[in-house]
């Protein structure tokens, strides 16, 4: 359900919380403490009980980290959240710094004298993160100290209780493969790696491997759990037994030993006592587990989570599910855009009302399980805040001669969707049309790209930026992220960005979402999901090329397109895309909405 979040702290609450944390640190003889936006599973979207960064700072974004020292504090966020963080936090307490230009290690080196000790919760930081910080801070004489308990947990008196949402099976008719088959492949990987076991902490990996889904994470169908997969024998799934009904116990009994979460440490100690070789993904595993295993005598085998890549490469069943989900979702979004065109001239439509109306259309499909994230419903200047989310305090109406940006998605049993459209409210300015068309040119460049095997996301990223670069413009976020199959809307390892080093492979689903943001005026982002297609010959070429199939089926706003700025190939792509949208969606619509779609998808070229 769409939620409009109020400010998380009453006036004066954040300063008192920071003061209380500083008192706690002083009693522990610490000079500072690290507060990441993370939990034991490194999930982007956290259960309420894990929102420590939000509790301490008031910042509600899905990525960031704070450092609190005796007389200074900083909040580190990426380019998506810079404006939001400055609005939501007390700037007299926290310096808001943008990564990757600002680095926590460099800030600490300048803020702390040699010999300073910084505390951290080893459940919330990965192995690699602590290794990097230890190395960089050690050069300037600063030491990291793991804490047996998190001081914020002791101060957070009204902390929400953990979720107890039920787990449900996600059978082969949706997953395309059995859990036993997936587990067998992971075990073969371990044998080839000469590892005795692998510890899984990523929730979507566990959900994918065991073909289960849950409800512990808002908008992501995930269950809080850990898993220990041996090279031989039955895996152990560590999960709250209260979440497991007879249906899912029957689903799991052949493939997993079911144990409560507090049994995990004993199992890790037992592996250590045997001198076992345990595979850990240093980029995703909490450092606490490495510390336990090594103290018990285990040998750590470094390696990626063996579920990440096969999960990202969708099988035929998942691909057909994604197409079905996008057809269903496209109908809902088209109905919403037609409704918006009819109702926005009244001046009574506001950001929250619009987002709730879109959710209503999605729910009328009868298939919506949840939104895939809190909708970004941004009118006018709010569109320039990349991950803006309306509150009752910030909610504004859609005004004439402005732009409205709606970034939203749905979770369906057969697929996950994510779409952004920017639309004109009334008559747009020439500048709006120019900027929109530049973003659209970048979007088309990615959608129509052909590339050889071995191409990485960072190789494709410039396609989206070139039209903007030529105009002296750019955007401060990645061009695309991976998307799961009724799993996380932001799925690693595939992405289209400057740091996207993973090879794009057939079956991967990614977003294609270039943007442009004018602070105080408007934001533009155009997002479709795309599927990497198998290698195919190109007429007159000597090598087979991969490409993208666009899954999203929703028109772009013709009022914001300047045809003279599009070349012949771009116009041909746009007309063909709109013809496809009309062909697939039109029969699902009635009356005025069908007429709206015909007009919205009429040829431009």
């Amino acid at each position: 359900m769409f939620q409009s979040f109020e400010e998380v702290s009453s006036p004066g609450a954040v300063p008192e919380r920071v003061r209380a944390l500083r008192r706690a640190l002083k009693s522990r003889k610490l000079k500072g403490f690290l507060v990441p936006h993370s939990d034991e599973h490194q999930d982007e979207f956290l259960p309420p009980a894990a929102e420590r960064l939000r509790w301490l700072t008031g910042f509600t974004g899905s990525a960031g980290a704070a450092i609190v020292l005796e007389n200074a504090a900083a909040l580190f966020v990426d380019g998506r959240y810079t404006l939001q963080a400055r609005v939501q936090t007390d700037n007299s307490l926290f310096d808001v710094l943008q990564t990757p230009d600002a680095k926590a290690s460099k800030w600490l080196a300048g803020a702390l004298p040699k010999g300073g000790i910084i505390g951290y919760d080893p459940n919330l930081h990965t192995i690699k993160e602590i290794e990097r910080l230890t190395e960089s801070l050690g050069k300037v004489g600063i030491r990291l100290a793991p804490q047996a308990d998190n001081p914020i947990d002791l101060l957070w008196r009204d902390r929400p209780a953990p979720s107890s949402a039920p787990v449900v099976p996600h059978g082969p008719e949706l997953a395309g493969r059995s859990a036993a088959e997936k587990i067998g492949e992971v075990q073969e990987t371990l044998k080839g790696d000469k590892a005795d076991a692998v510890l899984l902490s990523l929730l979507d990996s566990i959900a994918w491997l065991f073909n289960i889904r849950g409800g512990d994470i808002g908008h992501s169908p995930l269950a809080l759990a850990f898993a220990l997969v041996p090279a031989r024998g039955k895996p152990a799934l560590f999960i709250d037994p209260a979440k497991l009904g007879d249906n899912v116990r029957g689903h799991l009994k052949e493939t997993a030993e079911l144990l409560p979460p507090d049994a995990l440490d004993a199992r890790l100690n037992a592996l250590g006592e045997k001198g076992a070789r345990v595979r850990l993904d240093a980029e995703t595993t909490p450092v606490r587990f490495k510390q336990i295993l090594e103290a018990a005598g285990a040998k750590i085998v470094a390696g990626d989570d063996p579920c990440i890549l096969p999960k990202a490469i969708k099988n035929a069943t998942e691909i057909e599910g994604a197409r079905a989900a996008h057809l269903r979702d496209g109908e809902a979004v088209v109905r919403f855009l037609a409704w918006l065109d009819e109702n926005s001239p009244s001046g009574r439509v506001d950001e929250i009302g619009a987002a709730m109306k879109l959710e209503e259309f999605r729910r009328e499909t009868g298939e919506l399980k949840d939104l895939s994230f809190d909708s970004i419903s941004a009118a006018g200047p709010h569109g320039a805040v990349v991950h803006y989310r309306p509150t009752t305090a910030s909610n504004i109406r859609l005004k004439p001669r402005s732009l409205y940006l709606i970034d939203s998605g749905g979770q369906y049993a057969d697929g996950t969707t994510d779409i952004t459209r920017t639309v004109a409210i009334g008559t747009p300015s020439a500048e709006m049309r120019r900027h929109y068309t530049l973003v659209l040119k970048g979007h088309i460049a990615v959608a129509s790209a052909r590339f050889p095997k071995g191409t990485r996301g960072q190789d494709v990223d410039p396609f989206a930026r070139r039209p903007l670069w030529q105009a002296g413009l750019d955007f401060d976020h990645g061009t695309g992220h991976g998307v799961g199959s009724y799993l996380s809307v932001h799925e690693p390892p595939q992405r289209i960005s400057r740091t996207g080093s993973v090879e794009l492979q057939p079956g991967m689903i990614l977003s294609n979402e270039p943007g442009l943001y004018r602070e105080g005026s408007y934001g533009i982002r155009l997002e479709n999901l795309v599927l990497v297609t198998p290698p195919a010959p190109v007429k007159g070429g000597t090598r087979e090329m991969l490409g993208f199939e666009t899954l999203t089926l929703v028109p772009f706003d013709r009022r914001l397109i300047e045809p003279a700025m599009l070349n012949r190939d771009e116009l041909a792509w746009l007309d063909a895309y709109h013809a496809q949208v009309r062909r697939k969606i039109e029969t699902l619509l009635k009356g005025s909405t069908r007429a709206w779609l015909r007009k919205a998808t009429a040829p431009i070229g």
Side-chain angles (χ1 to χ4, degrees), residues 163-187:
S163 168
S164 57
V167 175
V168 297
H170 188 73
E173 71 280 3
L174 292 167
R177 302 171 65 199
S178 70
E181 182 182 358
K182 296 176 184 178
I183 290 167
E185 289 188 2
V186 169
Q187 290 180 322

Side-chain angles (χ1 to χ4, degrees), residues 388-438:
Y388 169 81
R389 183 175 56 185
T391 68
T392 53
S394 69
N395 186 33
I396 61 175
R397 293 182 178 181
L398 282 57
K399 298 178 180 178
R401 297 182 297 280
S402 71
L403 297 183
Y404 170 65
L405 185 154
I406 177 74
D407 185 347
S408 66
Q411 290 281 14
Y412 304 93
D414 50 3
T416 300
T417 70
D418 183 3
I419 172 176
T420 307
R421 286 296 181 266
T422 304
V423 299
I425 307 301
T427 304
S429 68
E431 181 187 61
M432 291 173 180
R433 288 169 59 86
R434 174 174 174 268
H435 285 162
Y436 183 98
T437 308
L438 287 171

Side-chain angles (χ1 to χ4, degrees), residues 5 11 62 86 114 174 185 199 269 307-308 331 356 358 367 419 421 467 486 496 504-505 523 525 581 594 600:
F5 286 92
S62 63
R86 287 172 182 158
K114 188 175 182 180
L174 292 167
E185 289 188 2
L199 175 64
N269 278 308
C307 300
I308 285 182
E331 176 196 359
M356 292 180 70
L358 175 52
E367 300 288 343
I419 172 176
R421 286 296 181 266
Y486 189 38
I496 303 173
L504 300 182
Q505 299 188 45
R525 187 161 64 254
V581 172
R594 179 182 286 192

Side-chain angles (χ1 to χ4, degrees), residues 524-544:
I524 298 166
R525 187 161 64 254
L526 301 175
E527 177 186 19
N528 285 344
L529 297 193
V530 295
L531 170 72
V532 182
T533 56
V538 177
K539 186 176 181 180
T542 59
R543 296 186 184 183
E544 291 189 321

Side-chain angles (χ1 to χ4, degrees), residues 225-520:
F226 294 98
L228 197 57
V229 183
R232 294 170 179 81
K234 187 179 286 189
L237 179 62
F238 301 87
I239 190 167
D240 182 354
K243 301 176 183 179
L244 305 178
D246 291 341
N247 62 333
V248 76
R249 286 183 182 274
H251 172 76
L252 289 168
K253 68 179 181 180
E254 299 299 325
T255 54
E257 178 187 5
L258 302 177
L259 296 168
D262 57 13
L264 176 57
D265 285 11
R267 281 294 177 96
L268 296 179
N269 278 308
L271 285 171
E273 290 167 5
K274 295 176 183 177
R277 292 169 54 85
V278 182
R279 178 165 169 163
L280 298 180
D281 187 334
E283 297 286 357
T284 64
T285 306
V287 69
R288 187 177 81 87
F289 295 126
K290 179 175 184 284
Q291 294 166 349
I292 291 173
L293 284 163
E294 287 185 330
K299 168 71 174 177
I300 304 302
V301 179
D304 294 341
D305 177 329
C307 300
I308 285 182
L309 190 57
K311 172 170 53 68
I313 299 172
K314 311 300 184 288
N315 59 50
T317 300
E318 292 171 321
I319 290 170
E320 284 308 307
R323 291 179 179 133
H326 280 86
L327 181 64
R328 187 184 310 123
D329 201 66
E331 176 196 359
V333 178
V334 166
R335 291 179 64 199
F336 166 74
L337 292 176
W339 172 88
L340 188 68
D341 265 7
E342 181 180 352
N343 289 273
S344 60
S346 70
R348 293 192 294 269
V349 178
D350 60 29
E351 294 169 328
I352 292 176
M356 292 180 70
K357 191 66 179 180
L358 175 52
E359 181 178 351
E360 178 185 320
F361 285 125
R362 283 192 165 110
R363 292 207 177 277
E364 287 178 1
T365 67
E367 300 288 343
L368 185 72
K369 299 293 186 181
D370 196 356
L371 300 181
S372 54
F373 54 95
D374 287 320
S375 297
I376 298 168
S377 178
H382 289 164
V385 182
V386 178
H387 273 201
Y388 169 81
R389 183 175 56 185
T391 68
T392 53
S394 69
N395 186 33
I396 61 175
R397 293 182 178 181
L398 282 57
K399 298 178 180 178
R401 297 182 297 280
S402 71
L403 297 183
Y404 170 65
L405 185 154
I406 177 74
D407 185 347
S408 66
Q411 290 281 14
Y412 304 93
D414 50 3
T416 300
T417 70
D418 183 3
I419 172 176
T420 307
R421 286 296 181 266
T422 304
V423 299
I425 307 301
T427 304
S429 68
E431 181 187 61
M432 291 173 180
R433 288 169 59 86
R434 174 174 174 268
H435 285 162
Y436 183 98
T437 308
L438 287 171
V439 174
L440 179 60
K441 286 170 72 72
H443 180 98
I444 294 172
V446 172
S448 58
R450 294 293 177 268
F451 47 92
K453 186 178 184 300
T455 296
R456 304 158 299 173
Q458 64 191 27
D459 303 321
V460 175
D461 185 70
F463 288 38
R465 299 181 190 273
R466 186 169 182 264
L468 292 166
W469 286 348
Q470 290 181 316
L473 303 165
D474 203 355
F475 53 95
D476 292 327
H477 56 76
T479 296
H481 55 81
V483 178
S485 180
Y486 189 38
L487 282 172
S488 300
V489 73
H490 293 159
E491 177 184 78
Q494 70 276 27
R495 57 183 172 179
I496 303 173
S497 72
R498 291 183 173 100
T499 58
S501 59
V502 172
E503 176 185 338
L504 300 182
Q505 299 188 45
M508 288 180 169
I509 295 176
L510 304 102
S511 66
N512 170 15
E513 51 179 311
L516 180 62
Y517 308 94
R518 299 298 299 268
E519 185 175 351

